[in-house]
Amino acid sequence: MKIALPKILFAICVTVFAFFPLTDTDIWWHLASARDFLENGLATDDPFCWTASKSPWINVHLYFQLALYGVEHFAGTFGLVALKALLWGLVAFLWILPVKRKILPVHFALLFAFAFLFRYAFECRPILLSMLFLGIFWNLLPQLEKRISAKWILSTVVLIAVEWIWVRMQGLFPLGFVLAFCAIAFSFQDLSLSGKVGNGIFFVLLLLTPLAHTQGVLLWLYPLELLNRLVGGNASSQIFSQQIAENRAPTTLLAQGENQAAMIALLVGIFISAFTILRHRHLAKPFQIAWLVIGMFLAATAERNLTLFFFPFASIVLSHSGELLSLRSALEKNLSVSKKMFSTSLQIFTVLGFAFVVGTFVRSLPAYFENGSFKTISAERLPSGAVEFMRSNPQSVSSRLFNDDRSGGYIEWKLPGVKTFADGRFILKDSTFLANYLKFSEKPEEFFSFADSLSIQRVLLPVRYIPLWIPLAKALEQNPEWTCVYQDSVYAVWDHHRILVMDALTSDYHEKIAVLDIRDSSVHVLASGNDILHPDLWKNK
């Protein structure tokens, strides 16, 4: 019980830290995708954006989306928050479950502090399921090092079943292949002939699991695009890795002054991991150390991989490390620090650390509430008011919308009939699209000719919390051809001041057509019926 209690407490702490409003804006296009699947079947082309997307669309997140949709349908957004928190707690428990030795209070305090600093990463995203599945692999793979038995067979069956589900949960499913390969490779020499054959057959079956799905070959190849994004193999992936915030390296974010406390903690964790591995101050299996090294590399490459590092770090370094004993010996030898003094100092440090983290966390809690009620959605990240305005004031059939990627998914979920310019699925876009999209934030004056060429007559952009789009928002305000028709503290909507509104599909009904001029938040009918054909109306317009 003394060994199990810290593990349970750690899982509870992670659950509590993960119980915060939905902040990841991708969740909305995931929900829209699930609805589209249930209504129209598996889509092979992008059903949401009017801009060009790569085809076919390989929706590797389908099972994740259907699970979200079911929870949201029956329990609303509060159900999504609760499920997210519980699953992250389960992830924490699975990763630390194999620890056999006693977890010291100071180790637990460090775990507690790191979990607090990294809590913003405990979002409702597909990576949550990937960490859950990796945790199952983490616990069952040691069975492959033993002789073939009922436990061995059960473990392999469970792992293949988990991998099959994982393939339609997130594109990171090859990490299961990698972790299994490390476990088999490091123990291969010590296995009996039957064990080598059995593990070989298991690994081949594991590799073939994507082929058991519809689009199996395409699913198997999909992660290559993710790897390409990671290493920056082409122009599109270079833009993605350098310009999209969560894909930047922690050193880059630190240099730019973003999320500094968490980035410092991440870099310290990577350093501690490297030092511990080099000093062999651990009791972990070789495949676990190999996985920690992979996690270190991924986390050093992009902030979005933080959780891939944190949980093996917690399991191996903070729970197995013998560095405290080495530190005590060094202090006793060089500074004449007694064992009692070292122990007392450690206790004081642990108590102060706990107190600081708990105090800081409690002070942050009011941000999760509004008018005495828990907020299930981070409203400052969503264009909720703007979307309601767009619902009441729809665009004409022929006009198009320009929006930022964070709002795209929410529009797709709330206004299923509206096609968006972009959402969070940048993997479907090429380098030209990404370059143009980001260029408008740096050179907003180039947006207007682009909008004219593509019949963009409505723009929805954030005006406060996302600095990237402030220059374009200001340019729209200063352009006399665009009028702000809606604005709140978070988002604004601009319409081009001249919109051709068509209520009929053929010229036989031209009497139902009107040309409207929208300026200064008022609408003027310039012409209607046969008058819209008069050439003077269109001079210099």
Side-chain angles (χ1 to χ4, degrees):
M1 185 61 188
K2 289 184 178 180
I3 297 177
L5 183 59
K7 300 175 185 178
I8 296 172
L9 289 176
F10 177 58
I12 292 174
C13 290
V14 170
T15 300
V16 172
F17 289 151
F19 198 87
F20 57 82
L22 300 173
T23 55
D24 182 53
T25 52
D26 283 350
I27 192 173
W28 306 109
W29 66 257
H30 283 305
L31 288 168
S33 297
R35 180 180 59 200
D36 183 75
F37 172 80
L38 294 173
E39 293 176 353
N40 305 307
L42 185 63
T44 55
D45 294 313
D46 181 5
F48 302 125
C49 296
W50 61 264
T51 48
S53 298
K54 295 177 184 177
S55 183
W57 175 35
I58 310 302
N59 188 5
V60 294
H61 306 105
L62 179 60
Y63 294 170
F64 171 75
Q65 293 163 352
L66 291 173
L68 288 184
Y69 187 84
V71 173
E72 196 279 336
H73 180 74
F74 289 105
T77 52
F78 182 85
L80 292 175
V81 173
L83 178 66
K84 166 179 73 88
L86 290 172
L87 286 180
W88 275 117
L90 179 58
V91 166
F93 183 75
L94 283 175
W95 278 90
I96 208 170
L97 181 60
V99 175
K100 301 300 182 185
R101 66 186 296 176
K102 181 181 178 181
I103 299 176
L104 299 175
V106 66
H107 284 158
F108 186 84
L110 288 173
L111 276 176
F112 187 67
F114 272 93
F116 171 74
L117 290 172
F118 296 156
R119 70 193 186 282
Y120 71 93
F122 302 151
E123 295 181 306
C124 193
R125 304 181 66 169
I127 187 64
L128 166 56
L129 279 304
S130 287
M131 293 308 304
L132 180 66
F133 297 148
L134 282 169
I136 295 173
F137 271 67
W138 190 257
N139 283 270
L140 294 184
L141 283 175
Q143 290 294 329
L144 274 60
E145 301 174 356
K146 303 174 182 178
R147 65 181 181 83
I148 296 180
S149 62
K151 276 189 175 183
W152 185 95
I153 295 173
L154 179 60
S155 296
T156 55
V157 169
V158 170
L159 291 174
I160 290 174
V162 166
E163 186 68 34
W164 184 84
I165 297 171
W166 194 355
V167 168
R168 276 293 189 184
M169 284 287 191
Q170 192 185 26
L172 293 180
F173 66 84
L175 294 179
F177 305 158
V178 175
L179 191 54
F181 175 80
C182 291
I184 294 172
F186 281 111
S187 63
F188 200 75
Q189 292 297 326
D190 299 327
L191 294 173
S192 63
L193 179 60
S194 61
K196 292 178 180 178
V197 173
N199 282 346
I201 293 174
F202 159 72
F203 188 68
V204 171
L205 291 175
L206 197 69
L207 290 175
L208 294 177
T209 49
L211 302 181
H213 287 275
T214 304
Q215 301 179 312
V217 175
L218 296 174
L219 285 168
W220 207 97
L221 296 174
Y222 178 88
L224 297 178
E225 182 65 24
L226 294 180
L227 179 62
N228 188 41
R229 271 196 333 190
L230 180 66
V231 300
N234 56 30
S236 176
S237 58
Q238 289 173 6
I239 295 172
F240 190 87
S241 62
Q242 294 171 10
Q243 300 296 328
I244 309 302
E246 62 183 8
N247 300 296
R248 286 177 285 172
T251 50
T252 302
L253 290 170
L254 193 60
Q256 295 174 348
E258 299 182 35
N259 207 5
Q260 290 181 310
M263 293 304 97
I264 291 173
L266 178 57
L267 293 173
V268 169
I270 292 173
F271 174 79
I272 293 174
S273 300
F275 185 75
T276 301
I277 292 170
L278 293 174
R279 289 287 300 269
H280 301 286
R281 296 287 182 177
H282 57 80
L283 300 175
K285 295 180 178 295
F287 86 88
Q288 294 173 329
I289 294 301
W291 181 253
L292 177 60
V293 172
I294 293 171
M296 291 164 57
F297 168 75
L298 293 174
T301 303
E303 181 204 18
R304 69 182 302 137
N305 299 321
L306 185 153
T307 53
L308 289 169
F309 162 75
F310 171 61
F311 289 104
F313 167 74
S315 181
I316 295 173
V317 179
L318 296 183
S319 301
H320 291 291
S321 175
E323 294 303 323
L324 287 176
L325 297 177
S326 300
L327 177 61
R328 188 185 70 186
S329 299
L331 291 174
E332 289 177 352
K333 181 178 179 180
N334 298 319
L335 299 177
S336 300
V337 176
S338 66
K339 181 178 179 179
K340 182 178 180 181
M341 182 181 296
F342 179 83
S343 178
T344 302
S345 301
L346 208 57
Q347 290 174 3
I348 294 173
F349 171 80
T350 301
V351 172
L352 290 177
F354 270 119
F356 176 77
V357 171
V358 170
T360 306
F361 178 65
V362 170
R363 285 171 54 193
S364 70
L365 290 179
Y368 298 169
F369 293 84
E370 186 175 38
N371 298 325
S373 300
F374 178 76
K375 296 191 300 183
T376 58
I377 299 174
S378 182
E380 63 270 14
R381 294 173 180 256
L382 297 175
S384 53
V387 164
E388 288 307 310
F389 169 83
M390 291 168 60
R391 188 194 306 278
S392 303
N393 301 270
Q395 291 177 270
S396 64
V397 176
S398 61
S399 64
R400 288 169 169 170
L401 170 70
F402 179 88
N403 61 278
D404 69 302
D405 59 284
R406 293 177 184 268
S407 66
Y410 190 74
I411 296 170
E412 292 158 2
W413 171 241
K414 292 292 186 179
L415 302 175
V418 176
K419 295 286 187 177
T420 59
F421 181 85
D423 54 30
R425 299 168 300 150
F426 281 125
I427 198 169
L428 296 179
K429 305 299 183 181
D430 60 20
S431 58
T432 301
F433 176 90
L434 292 174
N436 282 331
Y437 175 69
L438 294 170
K439 178 180 65 176
F440 299 143
S441 66
E442 300 172 354
K443 299 178 179 179
E445 66 278 2
E446 297 186 16
F447 168 78
F448 301 105
S449 59
F450 175 84
D452 288 341
S453 67
L454 293 176
S455 300
I456 294 174
Q457 296 186 338
R458 173 166 284 178
V459 176
L460 182 148
L461 289 176
V463 293
R464 183 176 180 184
Y465 292 104
I466 305 176
L468 179 70
W469 294 108
I470 298 301
L472 180 54
K474 290 182 177 178
L476 286 163
E477 287 291 341
Q478 296 169 2
N479 191 313
E481 294 187 354
W482 289 83
T483 300
C484 182
V485 292
Y486 174 85
Q487 182 169 349
D488 54 31
S489 62
V490 184
Y491 271 84
V493 177
W494 291 265
D495 278 347
H496 197 276
H497 72 70
R498 181 150 297 152
I499 301 176
L500 181 63
V501 181
M502 294 187 180
D503 290 334
L505 299 179
T506 69
S507 58
D508 294 337
Y509 295 92
H510 58 262
E511 68 275 6
K512 293 185 179 180
I513 301 174
V515 178
L516 307 182
D517 190 5
I518 303 177
R519 293 177 181 174
D520 302 324
S521 301
S522 60
V523 179
H524 307 279
V525 179
L526 298 183
S528 63
N530 292 322
D531 293 340
I532 68 168
L533 303 177
H534 197 286
D536 290 341
L537 178 66
W538 302 101
K539 289 181 179 180
N540 302 319
K541 304 302 183 187

